[in-house]
Amino acid sequence: MKAFLTRGVALLLAVLMIVTACGCNGKKHDRGDDTFEPLPGEVPVDLEGYEFTVMCHGGADNWNQETSGTPYADAWIQLVDEVEYLYNCDITATAVGWQDMFNVVQPEIAAGGKCADIIISPEHAYGAFLGANLMLDLNEMDVNWDNEWWNQSIRKTTTYNNKSYVGGGSFIFDTRATWLCYVNRAIWDQNGFEDPYELVDSGKWTYDKFREYAIAAAKDNDGSGKLDSSEDVYGVIAANGDFCDAWFQAMGGHFFKADEEDGKVVLACNTTRTYEIVEKMYNMIQKDNVYGFLGLGEVEHVQQFTSGGALFYCYTVGKDGLQDMEDDWFVLPMPKFDEAQEEYLSGVDHNASVFGVTNTNEDLHEVSILLEAIGRHAMILEQIFWPDYKDTYWRDPESERIVSEYVVGHGQHDLALIMANCGAAFQAPRSRLFGTVFGTSGPDFSSYIDTVEDAIEMQIQDFFEYEDAAE
């Protein structure tokens, strides 16, 4: 998806010109006399007025062209107009809260209906559809999933049993849900730390540097012997649970994977490398006295960081509340395990959106055509989104480059997050990791995995109805 950031600004100008001409009155636009040309390589198909329906937990206003006034919202109006015009179709969306989505979708599927052409859900809620066997193998569709507008990280991670049930792409790009490090520039400079961008570009932004700098910056200002108040300066602050997942994945950790030989789901956190990752995390949180979790919400974390009370604040891209910070700040990717790790990685939050198609959908010809069309035309969204951030959000001119090169497209996904509500087996290793690093489970993650590995494997085999489940 990195290519989104490099497409010509002419597209943005075209969006603004067309939206101005359309009036942007916040209602679905009459196509009228507007005409649109196909994008390079595109061959539109006349779908004779087909209505493409979307059920989503958020963003219905964009699909329905009911929001305008920003480059990003106006780009949505543009792309929907283009697809509707070029393919002679209508696009409509219905918003359903994620808490209610399964109870809306399941009865209609049971009655033989398709519910909607695509279902867009948070990762943590999507697993319920998979557990109830409601979703179609996306490989059955006439869609080229290798095209650049489809998220290959989601596709790779969630393809199991040689089937793919989970999709991601340009119209729900996951960068906004990808974790990174916000850094207080004043504290960084006061400690004489090396140039942060040279550190990242040289591949030397690692766990050891992260830990070294966090220890150097931490200050027990209230003399309590530990970091436990707003008067102290923390090396790192973050939201425990989601940060635990993202940090683990940033160093190359995974809970589950599909076996390369037969595609079956197997445990992936029973390796020496995993145990080394967990040990590093445990030591920094439990022993180094640098970390702080200040409340159930993020208001206290943002306040602590913006008031100069932390060097690193780890959260997802675009955290509100930092725009008015007095000190300068910049961003870095999540640190690598070590210099040998090939690339910077991160975790994508479990609140990130994914999509799928129900297995009762009989309109796969039309849906395939329109998914490709929407994916192609929605590539403008992320290209517009980040320049808007540059003008209204980023403090440091290098931040846009850092995000573009080392965060966009580097977010990792895992079946443990998507299948979290599909049984204890999917929850167990993730819960134990959290208990080890942030709780009271003790440091010996490897012994725990050794104890439960066979039971987890049996439950996984039973869940997926593998033939050897009884062995």
Side-chain angles (χ1 to χ4, degrees):
M1 291 189 182
K2 185 174 171 182
F4 296 0
L5 303 174
T6 59
R7 294 178 65 192
V9 294
L11 286 172
L12 175 57
L13 296 176
V15 170
L16 298 177
M17 292 173 64
I18 290 172
V19 169
T20 301
C22 290
C24 292
N25 59 8
K27 297 180 180 179
K28 194 169 180 69
H29 299 284
D30 183 351
R31 287 191 285 277
D33 295 329
D34 289 338
T35 60
F36 301 99
E37 295 296 324
L39 295 177
E42 181 178 23
V43 181
V45 177
D46 185 351
L47 295 180
E48 300 179 349
Y50 182 82
E51 183 177 359
F52 181 85
T53 55
V54 179
M55 177 178 289
C56 53
H57 66 101
D61 286 352
N62 286 327
W63 288 97
N64 292 326
Q65 300 177 291
E66 293 173 349
T67 302
S68 62
T70 68
Y72 181 72
D74 294 345
W76 266 99
I77 293 174
Q78 158 106 357
L79 81 88
V80 173
D81 276 344
E82 288 176 345
V83 173
E84 288 184 330
Y85 174 84
L86 292 169
Y87 292 82
N88 187 18
C89 67
D90 285 299
I91 297 173
T92 61
T94 302
V96 177
W98 68 263
Q99 303 93 330
D100 303 317
M101 193 170 283
F102 181 82
N103 293 329
V104 173
V105 174
Q106 192 276 335
E108 186 161 346
I109 301 304
K114 67 179 180 181
C115 193
D117 284 318
I118 62 170
I119 309 292
I120 300 176
S121 154
E123 281 192 5
H124 62 79
Y126 193 87
F129 304 137
L130 300 179
N133 194 30
L134 303 181
M135 308 311 289
L136 179 79
D137 174 12
L138 296 177
N139 296 317
E140 295 182 19
M141 305 184 70
D142 189 18
V143 173
N144 182 0
W145 297 110
D146 291 327
N147 278 327
E148 59 183 318
W149 42 86
W150 303 124
N151 186 308
Q152 299 305 318
S153 176
I154 293 176
R155 180 187 178 199
K156 177 182 178 181
T157 303
T158 60
T159 293
Y160 55 87
N161 305 339
N162 300 315
K163 296 181 179 181
S164 301
Y165 298 97
V166 188
S170 56
F171 51 88
I172 50 172
F173 58 90
D174 62 12
T175 305
R176 284 179 293 177
T178 302
W179 281 68
L180 47 63
C181 297
Y182 297 94
V183 188
N184 184 301
R185 169 66 77 174
I187 297 176
W188 184 280
D189 290 346
Q190 287 167 8
N191 282 274
F193 300 148
E194 58 194 284
D195 182 277
Y197 307 121
E198 183 176 333
L199 189 66
V200 172
D201 292 337
S202 65
K204 296 180 179 179
W205 173 231
T206 64
Y207 165 88
D208 288 338
K209 281 293 183 183
F210 183 55
R211 177 173 180 258
E212 174 190 340
Y213 289 176
I215 291 173
K219 289 182 172 57
D220 175 26
N221 288 331
D222 64 2
S224 67
K226 58 182 179 179
L227 304 186
D228 58 2
S229 78
S230 60
E231 297 179 30
D232 296 329
V233 177
Y234 295 81
V236 185
I237 52 175
N240 284 359
D242 294 342
F243 173 55
C244 186
D245 292 331
W247 191 15
F248 177 66
Q249 291 180 296
M251 291 193 283
H254 276 288
F255 299 104
F256 295 93
K257 66 178 182 180
D259 186 85
E260 294 182 0
E261 292 185 6
D262 58 17
K264 291 182 178 180
V265 175
V266 296
L267 197 66
C269 55
N270 53 353
T271 67
T272 300
R273 174 62 174 262
T274 298
Y275 304 148
E276 292 174 350
I277 292 172
V278 176
E279 183 180 13
K280 286 179 179 291
M281 296 172 67
Y282 174 86
N283 287 339
M284 188 167 173
I285 300 302
Q286 298 282 359
K287 295 183 177 181
D288 289 338
N289 194 28
V290 298
Y291 180 81
F293 174 65
L294 308 177
L296 296 177
E298 287 306 295
V299 174
E300 290 176 273
H301 290 156
V302 171
Q303 183 176 359
Q304 185 72 17
F305 181 72
T306 57
S307 63
L311 172 60
F312 298 118
Y313 170 43
C314 296
Y315 205 72
T316 54
V317 172
K319 179 60 183 171
D320 289 335
L322 303 184
Q323 295 92 325
D324 299 324
M325 179 172 166
E326 184 174 343
D327 288 337
D328 283 337
W329 54 268
F330 58 93
V331 297
L332 297 177
M334 295 289 288
K336 299 193 295 183
F337 177 83
D338 57 22
E339 291 185 39
Q341 182 173 315
E342 292 183 2
E343 62 176 306
Y344 292 101
L345 303 171
S346 183
V348 176
D349 196 81
H350 68 151
N351 291 303
S353 294
V354 292
F355 77 86
V357 177
T358 59
N359 55 23
T360 49
N361 194 321
E362 297 181 353
D363 301 311
L364 298 186
H365 173 69
E366 292 84 356
V367 176
S368 296
I369 290 172
L370 288 174
L371 273 176
E372 286 279 37
I374 293 168
R376 185 192 300 267
H377 285 262
M379 287 182 68
I380 192 175
L381 292 177
E382 192 166 358
Q383 186 229 342
I384 287 173
F385 191 79
W386 296 114
D388 185 50
Y389 261 48
K390 181 179 179 181
D391 294 337
T392 63
Y393 189 77
W394 301 128
R395 282 293 185 86
D396 190 297
E398 284 287 286
S399 290
E400 184 189 9
R401 180 182 71 83
I402 292 295
V403 172
S404 172
E405 293 186 14
Y406 301 113
V407 180
V408 175
H410 291 256
Q412 303 298 294
H413 299 261
D414 198 284
L415 285 173
L417 278 65
I418 294 175
M419 309 286 279
N421 297 314
C422 293
F426 292 105
Q427 299 178 24
R430 184 179 170 214
S431 296
R432 185 64 176 211
L433 173 68
F434 177 81
T436 298
V437 176
F438 292 96
T440 58
S441 299
D444 198 353
F445 183 78
S446 61
S447 292
Y448 166 77
I449 292 297
D450 185 59
T451 301
V452 302
E453 182 174 2
D454 289 344
I456 290 177
E457 293 285 8
M458 286 295 293
Q459 291 178 58
I460 294 299
Q461 289 175 4
D462 183 64
F463 180 86
F464 291 110
E465 299 182 342
Y466 294 147
E467 293 180 359
D468 57 351
E471 294 181 5

